[in-house]
Every structure is written in C-alpha cells, then in structure tokens.
Amino acid sequence: MSEDRTIVIVGAGHAGVQLAASLREEGFEGAITLLSDDPRPPYQRPPLSKAFMKREADAEALILRGPAFYEQKRIDLRLGVVAEAIDRAGRHVTLSSGARLAYSQLVLATGGLARPFKVPGADLAGVHVLRDMGDAEALRDRLETSKRVVVIGAGFIGLEFAAVAAKAGLATTVVEVAPRVMGRAVSPVVSDFYAGAHRGFGATVLLGAGVAAIDGEAGRARGVTLGDGRVIAADFVVVGVGVVARDALARAAGLDCSNGVRVDALMTTSDPDIFAIGDVALHPNVWSEREMRLESVQNATDQARALARTLTGRPTPYTALPWFWSDQDDLKLQMVGLMERAETFAMRGDPAARAFSVFGFRQGRLVGVESINRPADHMIARKLIPADAPLSPEQAADMTFDLKALAKGAG
C-alpha cells in the first residue's frame, strides 16, 4: 500500500474514529489525519441520554479509544480544530488556525446537528438540546436542581431523556405534534405501548399537540404555550425534534447535497476524491430501496468499515442491514431492518409482560423486527432478514414455533 497518500477525515465521532482504525486494519500505511472540532477526546454519544444522564457512567467511561491508540496507530488526531473550507481544485482543507491541510482523499464524517425549533422563545436560556457532551452535562445538572420539565418531541432522544427525568422525580411533560410517539421509526403497536409506558413512568404525554411558543421570564424559559392555548409551566425545556445533516462544509464546496451529502454505494460524493459516511451521508440503501440518511452507530461504523476497504483497493458497496436500539427506563427496544416498509404485522409475546416483539412483513417477506426486552428475538431477526428466511406472520406469532432453529438453518 502506497505510503505517500494522505487521508484526511473531518469529524471524530463513531464514523470518523472507526474509519481511521479500519484503515490501519486494512493495511493502509499512508498518513491519516483525524479532525475534531470538539476539544474533548472522541467519545460515544448514545450513552449521553442514558447511562451518562443517570450518572451511571462518567465522561472517561465514554471515550471511544484511549490516547495511546492514536499514537500507536499513527493517527494524527487534532482536537478543537474546525475545517472551515475545502479547496477541491487544490486538494486541501483550510483549518480554523488558518493552516492548509493537503489530502489525497478527504472523508466527511461531520454528523448532524439538532434540528432548529423555530418558535418564539426558542432562544431563551433554559432551552436545551441533547447532542453532545456539553449538552448532556448541562441537562444532567438541571435534573438535580429542577422540579418540572417540558420535553418537545417524542422521538428517541426526547423519550430517553423523559424517562430519566420522570425517574428522577421531575414533573415531566412530553409534547408531540404527531399522533404517536416515535412515529417515523416504529410500528403503531410499539408507539402505543411506549406512550402508555411513559405515562406509567409518571410523565404526561400529549400527542397531536403543537407548540406555539416557549414562554420566558427575565430571559429564561418558564414553560410552553401549546397551539390550543394551554400553558405548561417548566423550570427548563428540552427540544428533541430531530437531526439535520451537518453538510454546510460540503455545500460550500459545491458537492451534491440534499438532506445530507449525496454519495453512491461506495460512499463517494460528486467529487471522486471526497467521501462521506455516517449521519451526514445520504446513501442508496439496499434495504429501503431509496436514498436515506441513517442516524445510528451501526450505520456509522459499518459505512466506515466498507469505505476503509474501498480506500485500500477493495471496492466494497455498503449493504449492511440496519439495526438500532433505545433504552427507556426498564425497557430496551431493539430494532432490525426498516419497519417503514412493512405492510402487515405479527406480535410475538405479551405487551402486558413488558416483553414482546413485532414482526413486520412486506409482500410476505420479513423486513423488520422490533423487540422490547426480548434480545433473543432481535439477534435471530438479524439472521433471518438478510437470509430472506421463509417465515410467515402466523409462525412469527406462534410462541411454539422455533425461530432459533429457522435462523440456524438460514445460516
């Protein structure tokens, strides 16, 4: 492998760090520079709304790789450095220091940003998002000094935080404009179950409720006014209304972007020497049969591994089966496949026992499985779906049917 190449990776989240590691595993001997605009060592993000928020894990426990790793692997990790512009003709990146960093290949692993919430009062003090370590630290402190919180948005992050807040004894209100929680990601059965579960945790869950304004006093948030005029008091507000791709750098460089940086199956952008992976990449997903961005650790790390092989001479299309998870109080939700494609559903287990799975089918084929406190179903589904195993809805719902044997036969 040529040693005169330089690969520059912008972004040191799960995707960027995995790519740097995988490049060395695949035998790349050239220079690797990993840029992070965060002054902290690269860290895991999923625990921020879970174990870290509950003080079950500290910042050190979340570090992705120890400092010795980067030195041993000859990875030039630069913290607190912002990539401000890409000169595609000159093949270099301008840094916040004013320096110019040359590249042979450039990889954008810039992730996403909390979607702006454009209502009056959104800029008040005491209005929080949860995207990085700084956000999590601020919210963790608020949990210990507050009595009431309003969470705007019932997606994964909003519900994960709401579960922690309710457990901590705060009067917790979740406001969601859609008719069901996690509506874009899970089946109606799972949505209904989680809405009920959060009410059981002690939260108030308001569905189909828009927010007209965030109310303030002396420059600080004190509650929200809903579209129907109801007012909900709060000591602070958490906004979790989704994520937007952090693609400004790519757009300014003239790369093809649309809800992220558009890439092909090899993660190549409209410039053959620039690639994108992770949350920022709008890729052709073989499991959804459309372009999409996936915001998950699995997607980030699997795209990084595939790209490392491509960059070391073995072109590898990204075809990994998506899977996700979410911890909300005593409920562990694990998902595999894409339920958005499902037309019919079968339930295995008993929601009343707080342990069941929903199997989603399209034209008779299994396309997704959601498991609540049934990890074995999840692991089996990760074998059944890519093997296109012959499973019917009736078999999925039959607790006597041996899914494990079917998965074993599927190889």
Side-chain angles (χ1 to χ4, degrees):
M1 189 65 62
S2 174
E3 296 186 9
D4 59 0
R5 291 166 60 202
T6 297
I7 295 178
V8 174
I9 306 166
V10 182
H14 290 274
V17 171
Q18 183 63 58
L19 176 60
S22 293
L23 283 168
R24 291 300 187 220
E25 291 168 2
E26 295 294 336
F28 180 71
E29 294 295 336
I32 301 174
T33 301
L34 181 59
L35 304 177
S36 175
D37 59 7
D38 194 321
R40 305 172 190 262
Y43 55 87
Q44 304 173 58
R45 291 180 183 263
L48 293 178
S49 57
K50 309 175 186 73
F52 183 82
M53 193 63 59
K54 295 184 285 187
R55 296 191 182 274
E56 295 174 354
D58 59 16
E60 186 174 351
L62 270 57
I63 292 176
L64 274 171
R65 308 270 183 163
F69 168 81
Y70 300 97
E71 182 178 353
Q72 292 169 356
K73 298 298 183 181
R74 295 177 292 112
I75 297 166
D76 180 10
L77 172 62
R78 303 190 190 185
L79 302 176
V81 175
V82 178
E84 295 192 334
I86 301 168
D87 182 334
R88 291 167 54 190
R91 294 160 68 93
H92 68 255
V93 179
T94 301
L95 307 180
S96 49
S97 64
R100 298 197 306 179
L101 183 62
Y103 64 83
S104 305
Q105 284 85 33
L106 176 67
V107 181
L108 303 177
T110 47
L113 299 167
R115 182 180 299 279
F117 190 55
K118 299 179 181 179
V119 301
D123 58 348
L124 288 166
V127 178
H128 299 261
V129 297
L130 178 48
R131 190 66 189 164
D132 60 26
M133 181 78 75
D135 298 332
E137 289 174 335
L139 282 170
R140 194 172 62 173
D141 291 343
R142 293 307 302 264
L143 284 173
E144 297 176 352
T145 59
S146 305
K147 296 182 179 179
R148 303 167 299 183
V149 60
V150 171
V151 178
I152 301 173
F156 294 121
I157 293 296
L159 291 183
E160 287 169 1
F161 179 80
V164 174
K167 187 79 169 183
L170 278 70
T172 304
T173 302
V174 179
V175 179
E176 171 57 56
V177 69
R180 57 190 183 94
V181 306
M182 300 184 291
R184 290 178 295 178
V186 302
S187 66
V189 169
V190 170
S191 282
D192 292 345
F193 174 80
Y194 269 87
H198 278 268
R199 292 179 177 117
F201 298 155
T204 299
V205 180
L206 304 178
L207 302 176
V211 174
I214 299 176
D215 307 322
E217 179 181 313
R220 178 167 289 279
R222 293 301 181 194
V224 302
T225 297
L226 303 184
D228 61 8
R230 282 179 290 174
V231 176
I232 305 169
D235 299 315
F236 66 106
V237 175
V238 179
V239 177
V241 294
V243 173
V244 294
R246 196 176 182 186
D247 59 5
L249 182 66
R251 288 180 181 273
L255 297 176
D256 185 8
C257 296
S258 175
N259 181 34
V261 183
R262 180 172 275 117
V263 297
D264 63 15
L266 297 176
M267 313 312 296
T268 312
T269 71
S270 52
D271 183 317
D273 292 319
I274 302 179
F275 305 81
I277 54 176
D279 290 9
V280 77
L282 179 70
H283 67 278
N285 189 276
V286 298
W287 299 97
S288 69
E289 300 177 349
R290 67 177 178 88
E291 286 185 319
M292 68 188 309
R293 284 193 312 110
L294 283 173
E295 297 157 8
S296 75
V297 172
Q298 169 273 321
N299 178 71
T301 56
D302 283 346
Q303 285 185 345
R305 292 185 180 108
L307 179 57
R309 290 190 286 271
T310 294
L311 291 175
T312 53
R314 292 189 296 147
T316 303
Y318 176 65
T319 60
L321 177 67
W323 54 269
F324 318 82
W325 78 92
S326 177
D327 293 331
Q328 300 173 35
D329 200 85
D330 65 326
L331 302 173
K332 186 172 190 69
L333 170 62
Q334 295 171 285
M335 299 159 285
V336 59
L338 297 169
M339 277 299 221
E340 66 178 22
R341 303 184 63 229
E343 300 167 331
T344 59
F345 304 94
M347 185 184 300
R348 187 178 185 88
D350 183 7
R354 302 173 79 79
F356 68 100
S357 295
V358 176
F359 288 65
F361 296 83
R362 181 183 180 86
Q363 298 177 356
R365 299 173 64 184
L366 183 66
V367 296
V369 177
E370 303 160 335
S371 300
I372 294 90
N373 293 344
R374 286 182 65 91
D377 286 355
H378 174 75
M379 297 308 296
I380 288 170
R382 284 168 60 173
K383 296 179 179 179
L384 294 178
I385 295 174
D388 197 18
L391 178 70
S392 70
E394 293 75 21
Q395 290 170 326
D398 181 358
M399 293 292 287
T400 66
F401 182 79
D402 193 342
L403 286 177
K404 186 175 182 180
L406 180 63
K408 186 177 181 179

